[in-house]
Amino acid sequence: MTTQDARTSAATTTTDGAIGSHKDYLEGARPDIRVPVRRVHLTNGRDVTLYDTSGPYTDPAVTTDVRRGLAPLRENWIIQRGDTEEYAGRELRPEDDGLKHTAPRGGRLQGAAGDLAGLDAVFPGRPRQPRRSRDGRSVTQLGYAKRGEITPEMEFVAVREKLEPAFVRDEIAAGRAVLPANVNHPETEPMVIGRNFLVKVNANIGNSAVTSSIEEEVEKMTWATRWGADTVMDLSTGRNIHTTREWVLRNSPVPIGTVPLYQALEKVDGKAEELSWEVYKDTVIEQCEQGVDYMTVHAGVLLRYVPLTARRKTGIVSRGGSIMAAWCLAHHQESFLYTHFGELCEILRAYDVTFSLGDGLRPGCIADANDAAQMAELDTLGELNRIAREHDVQTMIEGPGHVPMHKIKENIDRQQEVCDEAPFYTLGPLTTDIAPAYDHITSGIGAAMIGWWGTAMLCYVTPKEHLGLPDKDDVKTGVITYKIAAHAADLAKGHPGAQDWDDALSDARFEFRWEDQFNLALDPETARAFHDETLPAEPAKTAHFCSMCGPKFCSMKISHEIREQHGDALTPDEVAAGMAEKSREFAASGNRVYLPVTN
Amino acid sequence: MTTQDARTSAATTTTDGAIGSHKDYLEGARPDIRVPVRRVHLTNGRDVTLYDTSGPYTDPAVTTDVRRGLAPLRENWIIQRGDTEEYAGRELRPEDDGLKHTAPRGGRLQGAAGDLAGLDAVFPGRPRQPRRSRDGRSVTQLGYAKRGEITPEMEFVAVREKLEPAFVRDEIAAGRAVLPANVNHPETEPMVIGRNFLVKVNANIGNSAVTSSIEEEVEKMTWATRWGADTVMDLSTGRNIHTTREWVLRNSPVPIGTVPLYQALEKVDGKAEELSWEVYKDTVIEQCEQGVDYMTVHAGVLLRYVPLTARRKTGIVSRGGSIMAAWCLAHHQESFLYTHFGELCEILRAYDVTFSLGDGLRPGCIADANDAAQMAELDTLGELNRIAREHDVQTMIEGPGHVPMHKIKENIDRQQEVCDEAPFYTLGPLTTDIAPAYDHITSGIGAAMIGWWGTAMLCYVTPKEHLGLPDKDDVKTGVITYKIAAHAADLAKGHPGAQDWDDALSDARFEFRWEDQFNLALDPETARAFHDETLPAEPAKTAHFCSMCGPKFCSMKISHEIREQHGDALTPDEVAAGMAEKSREFAASGNRVYLPVTN
């Protein structure tokens, strides 16, 4: 691969901002706290400011280069705290990338393996040393919060969420929220996950043994954040796991999550029974040093729970869960994730990596929802949450899966109870099994509901779920669907200011400000394109009617007449009292309900 | 237009059945009760029988011809009751079709207007006389049910819903369900709408002054029923309203709904204040004679409610509601729909046309949800429901619109209370305003929830809502999305047998029966296509893994191993007891969790 190739690849990375808006920043308590927002300029002279996850890519003032990575936004904050130090770090090994080739740390661009294409090469950016806590000190946001400190990261998310920094700190201290921010991922823009904040959305990416390249995964990451993904999980399982992750991390403005077990299993050639605490620990440290912000750990799959799944309709559907179940059975021992959990906490604390305690026994179909296996594991996750908390390790809890609507509330209520209100992070849930190819919708329904009832982050599902790997279109559809679910939940929770967005768009609709309607939409391009399919001409964008009713039947137009006749300045009672008079005026005006039309 | 043209047009009508299944019929209490089902044949030798709305088009044993219309399935039942009679009927007038051309009843094919294309011509099928009740007798399904009679239509839906005929009768008698079946639409396959039955889905079609042709509308109707629409509303507002409706009715296997006000307004050249009871009544009779099964009537928009909308964010968004509001203001009188409601009941009773009492003041945005205007109108709809019921006219109540999740339950609970449990028929509701181009999803969320809580029929919303007129793809997306919402609601309500479909699909998924998974899907074509995008080769359809995890990480495969190791024949307790032994066996078998893989 040549430098020329890399530059061409870089050009494909998403860098365009949303139409009709521009990137802006809100300044925080200190000048280096600059919180990105998307500012939509309306044709009536007003602005609407929206939460923005797209990172520096959508800022025309910033030149990005995927070969160099993003600027380390948080680096000074981390250094200034003085509680971490750089160190040599773990030696990289061929098996980190699936036994294929050696990958020296931070080296220059080099064609490491002949079978690699596109960005499939060692990340060429600036050399870096990993960082970890000094002298075993607690360097987690939870640790700071418990000690009463407000970090720049907390200040940042307070501005982002329009809340007080002390509130952010208190929610984190209580374990009701997490702020995933590995000291080795200084490129990330701080964000918070908790039931008293905006509902967040995660997008999964990742190659598999069957398909996909590093280049595609980096592009999917920037693409997902462009449409609103708050975090991205890299679930790669094929070759080049380490290298893919390096490219993704160095270019990601959002926290990155992983499932270290997938890579550990690659290291033992896919034989679950050959997994060990040593291999797993080595992998976790490798990923901590790279900068992974949160890790799914299936430590709740206990030996005695496995038989509870034997009579399920679809058994164990979590990859991590099934791997650990197989290990437990093979060794007839409790899982090394469970028996070494305290040690794992010590490791994660040193880098401020957040636990995402995986639900390895989540139900894979409607028939298995809320069953004994799932509930048993949830109890154990509650126990592990308390241990993690004692170690100052931030923790969230993963949730299902497939759950019919009437069992969703029971599910989250139970989670909140047994896990001391730790943030719930759910996949969907899918509310029916009958619609493969539409599982973004079957699950978007469940996601909106469980978000309303308190889930803090929703893991998206794409139309390809159960069928194949998502391409860029699927990623976009999944993210948009889940942004809808998250925002619907914010509205239902009465999150302060959430309805402003709806109100701005509805005002634009009522006043036939078509361009504003498009620009305020979650997906301006598609909204505009759909309008233009029926009424393509430019005048139609200022027309006081639309293609649904045509010029004569427009209800909005009639409503305007009613408002004009009946006065903005009157209360409903006053309006009623004056109605007879108004009626005479209406008649005097010629009873014209519709404006003259030309066809 | 030539006969040749018509034949070509006919060829475009949807006639293909779903892949991997065939049309079958369940026989009822008498041989002429043949209830259509879609029978899916699984590769394990079993069958799954699914509800089928697609009509004779998907039966290869039936030759359909859109120029002749469907066979009059119910004709003998109607004649045998002996309580209706044919009569000359209302004389057709040029303005019935928008002042464009005369349209003699049941005439031969003739090029009536030079500007018409495709099927835009008088329906050429068999001559027919309209039918109405003899001597003012009550010929509605509600009338029969109140008198304790079980009609063939009730027998038919009992088989269709897998319930007892007496239960169907009792639900209709109680006003909790309607069976829309105009005596002039004998082509319809009986179906029932009520909270204790499967949740139904309506699809809207209809041309407007701006776009669309008759041919397209007929095709959209068959296409919508092909994907599962239980009823279709023809909301045409442009030219050729009468003729479009005739083509749709004669070819529709599902009940057809309309909003007669739209056509009445065309007759007075779009001037709302020139509407009158006489013009409206004439239009209603015209449509009753054609065979419309249910009619939206905005009789709840009272003069005193109109000022309640003056301060709304989006005013009145219902076309019918805004027309009636304008009329009330212009005349300073109570609406003719309200003052003549008893007379209207008499007309509808003579044909067994079902009321769909329209919510003319439904909210058009989140900010206006559940407001005073909407609730005031709902009270009036409750009053009108009681009057209709006294007249033996079947009645359902239309509902919103735009409602955030936390206000949905309040909405339906109030409707059920003030409308004596009359079936609720809701548009969505949309749970947020921010996603034009994705309002099938914003509303699918609300639809699933309100369906669970008791809504009997969901009016679909397509991706084009607020932006343009739906094309065929949009119709399909809207119907599939709403079938998901309806089925999720059936599951949550615990509807008997609803979960069988999910279970069959999940079994197929767990056993890697890919073809069965596709064929059981709501949309087999798309499910198969998505799978093939990643793993196109034929062997992948029998592979015991999929493209998400690849061959090495498959959780389903591991689950099978667990099941094999831990015995289908044991209870969880027995399994637990025997685990140590099993673990030794597992080790003895070589600890192979994965099958050997070739790459």
Side-chain angles (χ1 to χ4, degrees):
Chain A
M1 175 170 150
T2 66
T3 305
Q4 185 61 42
D5 290 335
R7 208 168 280 146
T8 308
S9 302
T12 67
T13 296
T14 306
T15 55
D16 60 312
I19 296 172
S21 61
H22 87 272
K23 184 94 168 187
D24 203 353
Y25 297 89
L26 306 176
E27 198 169 299
R30 40 193 271 189
D32 63 348
I33 294 178
R34 296 176 70 240
V35 180
V37 291
R38 183 179 145 219
R39 214 181 273 285
V40 184
H41 305 284
L42 306 184
T43 56
N44 64 2
R46 293 191 196 148
D47 273 5
V48 174
T49 299
L50 301 176
Y51 195 102
D52 179 29
T53 59
S54 62
Y57 299 105
T58 52
D59 184 347
V62 176
T63 304
T64 57
D65 177 353
V66 290
R67 295 178 58 253
R68 289 177 49 83
L70 298 176
L73 169 70
R74 298 194 300 123
E75 192 169 61
N76 284 337
W77 306 342
I78 294 164
I79 291 171
Q80 283 166 10
R81 282 195 279 264
D83 52 5
T84 56
E85 62 190 355
E86 291 187 337
Y87 69 111
R90 170 185 171 281
E91 192 66 34
L92 293 199
R93 289 192 285 277
E95 62 264 34
D96 296 350
D97 261 331
L99 302 170
K100 280 296 169 190
H101 61 90
T102 53
R105 177 189 314 283
R108 294 174 310 283
L109 181 67
Q110 58 181 72
D115 65 339
L116 300 178
L119 293 181
D120 280 7
V122 175
F123 181 74
R126 66 196 168 91
R128 53 178 290 277
Q129 292 270 308
R131 178 178 290 280
R132 68 179 171 198
S133 74
R134 196 192 294 274
D135 310 323
R137 289 164 69 177
S138 165
V139 301
T140 69
Q141 298 289 324
L142 174 56
Y144 303 131
K146 277 181 169 181
R147 296 193 291 273
E149 295 172 35
I150 293 175
T151 62
E153 285 88 345
M154 296 174 200
E155 299 263 15
F156 191 102
V157 301
V159 175
R160 216 169 184 185
E161 301 264 349
K162 301 175 189 163
L163 292 163
E164 290 303 311
F167 180 78
V168 174
R169 179 198 57 200
D170 295 347
E171 288 293 299
I172 293 171
R176 271 193 301 273
V178 295
L179 195 164
N182 187 329
V183 295
N184 291 309
H185 189 204
E187 299 90 347
T188 192
E189 293 171 345
M191 53 78 69
V192 67
I193 302 167
R195 64 180 300 161
N196 293 320
F197 300 96
L198 291 163
V199 175
K200 303 304 186 296
V201 171
N202 172 69
N204 291 337
I205 61 169
N207 61 0
S208 84
V210 177
T211 180
S212 190
S213 74
I214 292 179
E215 184 174 0
E216 283 171 33
E217 298 316 310
V218 173
E219 170 58 7
K220 276 185 205 163
M221 180 274 292
T222 54
W223 182 243
T225 60
R226 162 72 180 71
W227 292 107
D230 294 284
T231 75
V232 167
M233 287 194 83
D234 177 6
L235 302 183
S236 293
T237 58
R239 293 180 202 157
N240 306 315
I241 292 187
H242 181 98
T243 303
T244 302
R245 191 166 50 235
E246 189 69 25
W247 279 92
V248 168
L249 276 163
R250 299 288 75 81
N251 285 291
S252 174
V254 301
I256 297 294
T258 60
V259 185
L261 193 63
Y262 296 171
Q263 187 181 8
L265 190 62
E266 292 281 358
K267 291 182 182 175
V268 296
D269 202 22
K271 301 191 181 98
E273 70 279 6
E274 292 187 11
L275 281 168
S276 64
W277 165 242
E278 287 67 31
V279 170
Y280 186 80
K281 173 182 172 180
D282 173 68
T283 307
V284 166
I285 291 173
E286 172 189 348
Q287 299 196 9
C288 286
E289 292 181 350
Q290 278 190 293
V292 169
D293 299 287
Y294 65 90
M295 295 182 185
T296 295
V297 179
H298 299 94
V301 179
L302 299 191
L303 183 60
R304 65 179 178 276
Y305 300 158
V306 178
L308 298 176
T309 68
R311 290 168 165 274
R312 277 181 159 183
K313 195 163 275 297
T314 55
I316 300 176
V317 295
S318 150
R319 277 184 268 174
S322 63
I323 292 164
M324 291 316 300
W327 190 94
C328 291
L329 294 178
H331 293 266
H332 195 52
Q333 282 176 15
E334 215 53 281
S335 126
F336 56 82
L337 297 176
Y338 184 78
T339 56
H340 291 267
F341 192 73
E343 194 175 342
L344 191 55
C345 289
E346 297 296 322
I347 297 168
L348 266 55
R349 183 174 66 182
Y351 304 89
D352 196 4
V353 172
T354 299
F355 271 122
S356 185
L357 294 178
D359 54 336
L361 304 183
R362 69 168 176 269
C365 65
I366 292 297
D368 295 342
N370 293 17
D371 73 350
Q374 190 201 341
M375 292 304 172
E377 183 188 28
L378 186 55
D379 288 341
T380 299
L381 298 185
E383 171 195 336
L384 297 172
N385 175 57
R386 283 186 290 276
I387 294 169
R389 185 176 159 67
E390 283 162 19
H391 286 84
D392 286 356
V393 182
Q394 304 190 81
T395 304
M396 50 188 175
I397 311 291
E398 294 186 11
H402 293 237
V403 186
M405 284 191 286
H406 63 299
K407 293 188 176 177
I408 291 176
K409 188 146 195 317
E410 171 192 343
N411 206 289
I412 180 163
D413 286 350
R414 176 87 174 255
Q415 181 274 336
Q416 287 287 292
E417 184 192 334
V418 305
C419 299
D420 303 319
E421 301 184 304
F424 205 23
Y425 168 30
T426 60
L427 178 71
L430 285 71
T431 55
T432 168
D433 304 337
I434 64 166
Y438 298 83
D439 279 327
H440 58 306
I441 298 177
T442 66
S443 68
I445 294 167
M449 294 171 69
I450 206 162
W452 168 25
W453 290 324
T455 283
M457 185 157 75
L458 305 169
C459 182
Y460 86 170
V461 171
T462 78
K464 290 281 169 59
E465 183 78 14
H466 299 119
L467 298 169
L469 280 178
D471 60 20
K472 270 185 72 176
D473 285 345
D474 298 316
V475 167
K476 177 178 170 183
T477 301
V479 171
I480 295 273
T481 302
Y482 272 67
K483 293 301 277 188
I484 289 170
H487 185 73
D490 289 334
L491 287 179
K493 291 200 299 185
H495 192 86
Q499 199 183 306
D500 294 349
W501 191 355
D502 301 74
D503 289 353
L505 197 143
S506 294
D507 282 340
R509 185 170 281 155
F510 190 61
E511 293 169 8
F512 292 101
R513 289 185 271 113
W514 285 100
E515 288 294 337
D516 294 347
Q517 229 185 113
F518 304 147
N519 293 338
L520 284 165
L522 257 183
D523 179 358
E525 286 89 333
T526 306
R528 183 176 280 102
F530 280 5
H531 176 270
D532 289 0
E533 267 181 43
T534 318
L535 287 177
E538 203 52 39
K541 304 228 178 48
T542 53
H544 278 207
F545 64 89
C546 61
S547 57
M548 281 82 75
C549 308
K552 283 203 295 186
F553 283 83
C554 178
S555 61
M556 293 272 185
K557 228 163 66 178
I558 296 173
S559 285
H560 280 282
E561 300 244 352
I562 289 169
R563 180 173 289 185
E564 282 159 27
Q565 298 294 334
H566 290 275
D568 264 336
L570 301 175
T571 66
D573 281 350
E574 290 167 333
V575 170
M579 197 144 62
E581 174 59 24
K582 292 285 179 188
S583 174
R584 281 189 293 276
E585 286 172 19
F586 187 85
S589 74
N591 283 356
R592 296 301 298 170
V593 177
Y594 307 102
L595 301 178
V597 290
T598 52
N599 64 338
Chain B
M1 176 171 151
T2 65
T3 305
Q4 185 60 43
D5 291 334
R7 208 168 279 143
T8 308
S9 303
T12 67
T13 297
T14 306
T15 54
D16 59 313
I19 296 171
S21 61
H22 87 273
K23 184 93 169 187
D24 203 350
Y25 297 89
L26 307 176
E27 198 168 300
R30 38 193 273 188
D32 62 350
I33 294 179
R34 297 176 69 238
V35 179
V37 291
R38 182 178 146 220
R39 213 182 275 283
V40 184
H41 306 283
L42 306 184
T43 56
N44 65 1
R46 292 190 198 148
D47 273 5
V48 175
T49 299
L50 302 176
Y51 194 102
D52 179 29
T53 59
S54 62
Y57 299 105
T58 52
D59 185 346
V62 176
T63 304
T64 57
D65 176 354
V66 290
R67 296 177 59 254
R68 289 175 49 81
L70 297 176
L73 168 70
R74 298 192 302 124
E75 191 169 61
N76 283 338
W77 306 342
I78 295 164
I79 292 170
Q80 282 166 12
R81 282 194 278 265
D83 52 6
T84 55
E85 61 190 356
E86 291 187 335
Y87 69 112
R90 171 185 170 281
E91 191 68 33
L92 293 198
R93 289 191 285 277
E95 60 265 34
D96 297 348
D97 260 330
L99 303 171
K100 280 297 172 190
H101 59 90
T102 51
R105 177 190 312 285
R108 294 174 310 283
L109 180 68
Q110 58 181 70
D115 64 338
L116 300 178
L119 293 181
D120 281 6
V122 175
F123 182 74
R126 65 197 166 90
R128 53 178 288 276
Q129 291 269 308
R131 178 179 291 280
R132 69 181 171 196
S133 73
R134 195 193 295 274
D135 311 322
R137 289 163 69 177
S138 165
V139 300
T140 69
Q141 297 290 324
L142 173 56
Y144 303 132
K146 278 181 169 180
R147 296 192 292 274
E149 295 172 34
I150 293 174
T151 62
E153 286 87 345
M154 297 176 201
E155 299 263 15
F156 190 102
V157 301
V159 175
R160 217 167 182 184
E161 301 263 349
K162 300 175 189 163
L163 292 164
E164 289 304 309
F167 179 79
V168 174
R169 177 197 59 201
D170 294 347
E171 288 294 298
I172 294 171
R176 272 194 301 272
V178 295
L179 195 164
N182 186 328
V183 295
N184 291 309
H185 189 202
E187 299 90 347
T188 193
E189 294 171 346
M191 52 80 69
V192 68
I193 302 167
R195 66 179 300 160
N196 293 320
F197 301 95
L198 292 163
V199 176
K200 303 305 188 295
V201 171
N202 172 69
N204 290 337
I205 61 169
N207 61 359
S208 83
V210 178
T211 179
S212 189
S213 74
I214 292 179
E215 184 175 358
E216 283 171 34
E217 299 315 310
V218 173
E219 170 57 8
K220 276 186 206 161
M221 179 274 292
T222 54
W223 182 242
T225 61
R226 160 72 180 72
W227 293 107
D230 295 283
T231 75
V232 167
M233 287 194 83
D234 177 6
L235 303 183
S236 294
T237 58
R239 292 179 202 159
N240 306 316
I241 292 187
H242 181 98
T243 303
T244 302
R245 190 165 52 234
E246 189 70 24
W247 279 93
V248 168
L249 276 164
R250 299 287 76 81
N251 285 291
S252 174
V254 301
I256 297 295
T258 61
V259 185
L261 194 63
Y262 296 171
Q263 187 181 9
L265 190 62
E266 292 280 357
K267 290 181 184 176
V268 295
D269 202 24
K271 301 189 182 101
E273 71 278 7
E274 292 187 12
L275 282 168
S276 64
W277 166 243
E278 288 67 32
V279 170
Y280 185 82
K281 172 182 171 180
D282 172 68
T283 307
V284 166
I285 291 172
E286 173 189 346
Q287 298 196 10
C288 286
E289 291 180 350
Q290 278 190 294
V292 168
D293 299 287
Y294 65 90
M295 295 182 186
T296 294
V297 179
H298 299 94
V301 179
L302 300 191
L303 182 61
R304 65 179 178 274
Y305 300 159
V306 179
L308 297 176
T309 68
R311 288 165 166 278
R312 276 181 160 182
K313 195 164 274 299
T314 55
I316 300 176
V317 295
S318 150
R319 277 182 268 173
S322 63
I323 293 163
M324 291 317 300
W327 190 94
C328 290
L329 295 177
H331 294 266
H332 195 55
Q333 283 176 15
E334 215 54 282
S335 125
F336 56 82
L337 297 176
Y338 184 77
T339 57
H340 290 267
F341 191 73
E343 195 176 341
L344 191 54
C345 289
E346 296 296 321
I347 296 168
L348 266 56
R349 182 174 66 182
Y351 303 89
D352 196 5
V353 173
T354 297
F355 271 122
S356 185
L357 294 178
D359 54 337
L361 304 183
R362 69 169 177 268
C365 64
I366 292 297
D368 295 342
N370 291 18
D371 73 350
Q374 190 201 342
M375 292 304 172
E377 183 188 29
L378 186 55
D379 287 341
T380 300
L381 298 185
E383 171 196 335
L384 296 172
N385 175 57
R386 284 187 289 277
I387 295 169
R389 183 175 161 69
E390 284 162 19
H391 286 84
D392 286 356
V393 182
Q394 304 190 82
T395 305
M396 50 187 175
I397 311 291
E398 294 186 9
H402 294 238
V403 186
M405 283 190 288
H406 64 298
K407 293 187 177 179
I408 292 175
K409 189 150 195 314
E410 171 191 343
N411 205 290
I412 181 164
D413 286 351
R414 177 87 174 257
Q415 181 274 336
Q416 287 287 291
E417 183 192 336
V418 304
C419 298
D420 303 319
E421 302 185 306
F424 206 23
Y425 168 30
T426 61
L427 179 70
L430 285 71
T431 55
T432 168
D433 304 337
I434 65 166
Y438 297 85
D439 279 328
H440 58 304
I441 297 176
T442 65
S443 68
I445 293 167
M449 293 171 70
I450 206 163
W452 168 26
W453 290 325
T455 282
M457 184 157 75
L458 305 169
C459 182
Y460 86 169
V461 171
T462 78
K464 289 280 169 60
E465 184 76 14
H466 298 119
L467 297 170
L469 280 177
D471 59 20
K472 269 185 71 176
D473 284 345
D474 299 317
V475 167
K476 177 178 169 182
T477 301
V479 170
I480 295 275
T481 301
Y482 272 68
K483 292 301 278 190
I484 288 169
H487 185 72
D490 290 335
L491 288 178
K493 291 199 299 184
H495 192 87
Q499 197 182 307
D500 295 349
W501 191 354
D502 301 74
D503 289 351
L505 198 143
S506 294
D507 282 340
R509 183 169 284 155
F510 190 62
E511 293 169 9
F512 292 100
R513 289 185 270 112
W514 287 100
E515 288 293 338
D516 293 348
Q517 230 185 111
F518 304 147
N519 294 338
L520 284 165
L522 257 183
D523 179 358
E525 286 91 333
T526 306
R528 182 176 282 102
F530 280 5
H531 175 270
D532 290 0
E533 268 180 42
T534 318
L535 288 176
E538 203 50 41
K541 303 226 180 49
T542 53
H544 277 208
F545 64 91
C546 61
S547 55
M548 280 81 75
C549 308
K552 282 203 297 186
F553 283 83
C554 180
S555 61
M556 291 274 186
K557 229 164 65 179
I558 296 172
S559 284
H560 279 282
E561 300 243 352
I562 290 169
R563 181 172 288 185
E564 283 161 25
Q565 298 293 333
H566 290 273
D568 263 335
L570 301 175
T571 67
D573 282 350
E574 291 168 333
V575 170
M579 197 145 60
E581 173 60 23
K582 291 285 177 186
S583 174
R584 281 191 291 276
E585 285 174 19
F586 187 84
S589 76
N591 283 358
R592 296 300 298 170
V593 177
Y594 308 102
L595 300 179
V597 289
T598 52
N599 63 337

